[in-house]
Amino acid sequence: MTKAPAPRSASYNRRVNHPAAPADTLRATLADLVDGLPPRQAAQAVERLIANYRGDTPTDAPILRDRADVVAYAAYRMPATFAAVRSALGAFAQAVPSWVPGSHVDVGGGTGAATWAVGDTWGGTRPVTVLDWAEPALALGREIAASLPALREARWQRARIGAALALDSADLVTVSYVLNELTASDRAALVDTAAGAAQAVVIVEAGTPAGYARVIEARDRLIAAGFRVAAPCPHSAACPIVPGTDWCHFAARVSRSSLHRQVKSGSLAYEDEKFSYVAATRIPAEPAPSRVVRRPQIRKGQVLLDLCEPDEQLRRRTVTKRHGDLYKAARDAAWGDSWPVGEAPRGA
Ligand SMILES: C[S@@+](CC[C@H](N)C(=O)[O-])C[C@H]1O[C@@H](n2cnc3c(N)ncnc32)[C@H](O)[C@@H]1O
């Protein structure tokens, strides 16, 4: 671990709109990538990719087989996976405000979305290793990463996730949108190996009931390995959601590219990427006092907040105008934000 400037929040990056912010560089680099393709060919590659990902996973061989596949993946999915991981890392960074990863390993890293998200969360440079079994994904990831100085020295290495996977020790290990593609035994082996190698492990999955179930399974294994949950949960006890009744997930807003609009034949300028995640660590962390787990409902003179609270309960709290500054904070609160539970009134 190294001490460095405080992490930049997503809103900081939005406000400052620094031309060199990794989020902006990634957007521009991916736009250039798509500009180089005939539109019909790009749309067909995306449609093939979507069809493959609808097929049965896990697979015995990489789904991303050639350059057309990985360009489609990078153009179509990478902005969304980047946004989801960025959001998870932002919440994690809030729980460990003076910590900056001194090294990062991204397992099943593909074209490197999580490496960009780490670069966007914490400034500076660090040794970065991306592991994946799909050589075309690694090759494109390396190519895209050439536009970000912090990633120019990154190592892009072929590796198969499974019982034989060995990881060098690293401050941070990320596993983003990968567990879905693994067998149950490979999922368990990967989480245990990550726990043995890292100070902090961040796992992101699709925000579906199945994605949430895989995150909970990983969360349990990380806690059993001696980790504490830093985000999104306000505690490391059992998740209060009764299995099968609901699922904990969040949303990250992603601008739609012209390719997205073409494939989805829609005109919306953005979409919301739903994701589930856990960030767990061996270092001291201060989890959120409580977490907003649904989009807040703003009514006349009141805001309804659905919260996950530190006493292992889910509660709806109603914040009204008479709560003054807290009401103002509630009006600004977003799904996924932390919330100061001690100051909140009991719900109606
Ligand atoms: C949906 S992509 C996610 C890529 C990237 N982490 C992201 O968030 O955009 C899943 C990645 O996991 C890799 N993968 C799946 N199974 C694997 C395995 N058994 N060994 C190594 N990599 C694997 C795939 O090649 C692919 O790059």
Side-chain angles (χ1 to χ4, degrees):
M1 160 190 173
T2 50
K3 282 255 177 193
R8 294 191 299 254
S9 69
S11 62
Y12 171 90
N13 281 335
R14 274 199 301 277
R15 264 198 328 276
V16 175
N17 197 22
H18 193 285
D24 299 329
T25 310
L26 179 62
R27 198 172 307 121
T29 307
L30 293 178
D32 286 351
L33 192 67
V34 178
D35 277 353
L37 293 176
R40 229 178 100 73
Q41 191 187 328
Q44 279 169 353
V46 169
E47 272 150 19
R48 202 172 54 238
L49 185 76
I50 293 170
N52 283 341
Y53 268 104
R54 274 202 203 108
D56 283 340
T57 50
T59 56
D60 290 333
I63 293 173
L64 302 173
R65 285 162 318 208
D66 55 26
R67 187 169 166 92
D69 286 346
V70 290
V71 167
Y73 182 85
Y76 190 70
R77 285 296 298 151
M78 196 175 167
T81 59
F82 165 83
V85 180
R86 178 64 184 84
S87 182
L89 292 176
F92 175 52
Q94 277 188 353
V96 287
S98 57
W99 185 82
V100 174
S103 52
H104 173 209
V105 175
D106 186 23
V107 189
T111 51
T115 65
W116 285 79
V118 168
D120 199 55
T121 307
W122 295 282
T125 56
R126 59 193 56 83
V128 175
T129 305
V130 183
L131 303 174
D132 203 287
W133 67 354
E135 181 58 39
L138 295 169
L140 185 66
R142 186 185 294 114
E143 193 180 313
I144 296 169
S147 31
L148 190 68
L151 292 181
R152 283 197 193 129
E153 302 296 319
R155 296 188 307 162
W156 301 80
Q157 288 180 352
R158 207 148 175 198
R160 185 187 184 108
I161 299 164
L165 178 74
L167 294 179
D168 290 340
S169 58
D171 280 354
L172 174 65
V173 168
T174 52
V175 181
S176 129
Y177 290 83
V178 179
L179 296 182
N180 173 44
E181 300 194 13
L182 305 177
T183 60
S185 60
D186 284 352
R187 282 201 299 274
L190 172 54
V191 174
D192 292 350
T193 305
Q199 293 297 309
V201 176
V202 176
I203 293 177
V204 182
E205 281 287 294
T208 59
Y212 161 72
R214 288 186 290 271
V215 165
I216 286 297
E217 183 187 273
R219 180 185 186 274
D220 289 347
R221 295 195 85 84
L222 291 169
I223 292 168
F227 280 63
R228 309 282 299 162
V229 179
C233 327
H235 57 78
S236 295
C239 175
I241 294 176
V242 178
T245 62
D246 201 354
W247 70 101
C248 178
H249 65 293
F250 302 94
R253 188 143 289 187
V254 191
S255 304
R256 277 186 171 172
S257 63
S258 55
L259 178 64
H260 279 99
R261 288 199 285 266
Q262 195 184 331
V263 172
K264 296 214 163 160
S265 343
S267 54
L268 262 188
Y270 63 83
E271 61 190 27
D272 286 333
E273 172 71 10
K274 306 277 172 51
F275 64 99
S276 294
Y277 76 98
V278 62
T281 182
R282 293 184 185 283
I283 60 171
E286 279 180 45
S290 60
R291 178 82 55 194
V292 180
V293 291
R294 286 257 180 278
R295 207 180 289 288
Q297 294 179 44
I298 300 187
R299 304 264 168 84
K300 201 172 179 328
Q302 56 178 225
V303 182
L304 309 185
L305 294 177
D306 287 311
L307 299 170
C308 183
E309 302 204 334
D311 59 354
E312 302 157 43
Q313 298 292 325
L314 294 162
R315 273 195 199 91
R316 170 164 290 181
R317 292 187 183 266
T318 304
V319 188
T320 66
K321 271 189 175 163
R322 71 186 166 81
H323 295 112
D325 285 349
L326 200 62
Y327 172 68
K328 283 189 204 132
R331 286 187 64 90
D332 286 344
W335 183 9
D337 281 358
S338 73
W339 181 256
V341 67
E343 299 165 43
R346 285 272 165 187

